Amino acid sequence: QANPFQHRICRVFSTSDDGDDSMSFEDFLDMLSAFSDSAAVDIKSHYAFRIFDFDEDGILDRKDLEKLVNCLTGQGEESRLSSAEMEQLIRNILEESDIDKDGTINLSEFQHVVSRSPDFARYGVLQ
């Protein structure tokens, strides 16, 4: 139905100079190529990282992770995690992913985690 990351996907793949996140046909082809079954995992993970980096600062911090979790669990009140649940989940994500223990996840840490998840390449962010 509706991908919760649709706006981020358009933003990441758009080469528009207008800043309106519109996609040209070439942008669309790039997107399809990056998330095709034949694309390498490092290409898929690179674009997934950029999509999840909501503030586009090159790292996934607590705010990015919270937005990511909210996108994945839905925006409705009934599906929203409590503050304690969100904090515990973010703590678990960082504990598993933050290799240098700086409180954020950089691209190489993200790719390391993804490399241990065979389902990532199969299902990716677009499905």
Side-chain angles (χ1 to χ4, degrees):
Q1 194 65 307
N3 187 315
F5 300 104
Q6 63 189 350
H7 298 293
R8 288 293 308 150
I9 291 168
C10 290
R11 177 147 187 98
V12 166
F13 285 95
S14 175
T15 58
S16 172
D17 291 333
D18 298 335
D20 61 0
D21 301 337
S22 62
M23 292 177 67
S24 67
F25 184 66
E26 288 80 14
D27 295 338
F28 182 71
L29 291 177
D30 287 344
M31 180 194 68
L32 291 179
S33 175
F35 291 105
S36 73
D37 289 341
S38 61
V41 174
D42 63 326
I43 298 293
K44 290 182 183 192
S45 61
H46 168 81
Y47 282 106
F49 181 85
R50 289 188 56 205
I51 290 165
F52 299 157
D53 182 13
F54 292 92
D55 58 10
E56 300 179 6
D57 63 355
I59 55 169
L60 302 183
D61 58 18
R62 288 179 167 276
K63 287 185 181 206
D64 292 317
L65 295 173
E66 186 171 335
K67 284 185 179 183
L68 173 60
V69 169
N70 284 334
C71 282
L72 293 172
T73 59
Q75 300 299 316
E77 272 312 305
E78 68 282 350
S79 60
R80 188 164 296 254
L81 298 179
S82 70
S83 295
E85 291 170 325
M86 180 67 78
E87 179 58 33
Q88 182 61 49
L89 181 56
I90 290 173
R91 209 173 319 144
N92 290 348
I93 291 169
L94 289 171
E95 185 177 307
E96 189 72 27
S97 309
D98 183 16
I99 296 167
D100 63 8
K101 303 299 180 203
D102 67 350
T104 65
I105 301 168
N106 61 38
L107 177 59
S108 63
E109 290 169 330
F110 182 80
Q111 288 179 323
H112 175 74
V113 169
V114 165
S115 72
R116 299 183 306 172
S117 175
D119 287 342
F120 179 85
R122 189 170 43 226
Y123 300 113
V125 81
L126 291 180
Q127 275 72 25

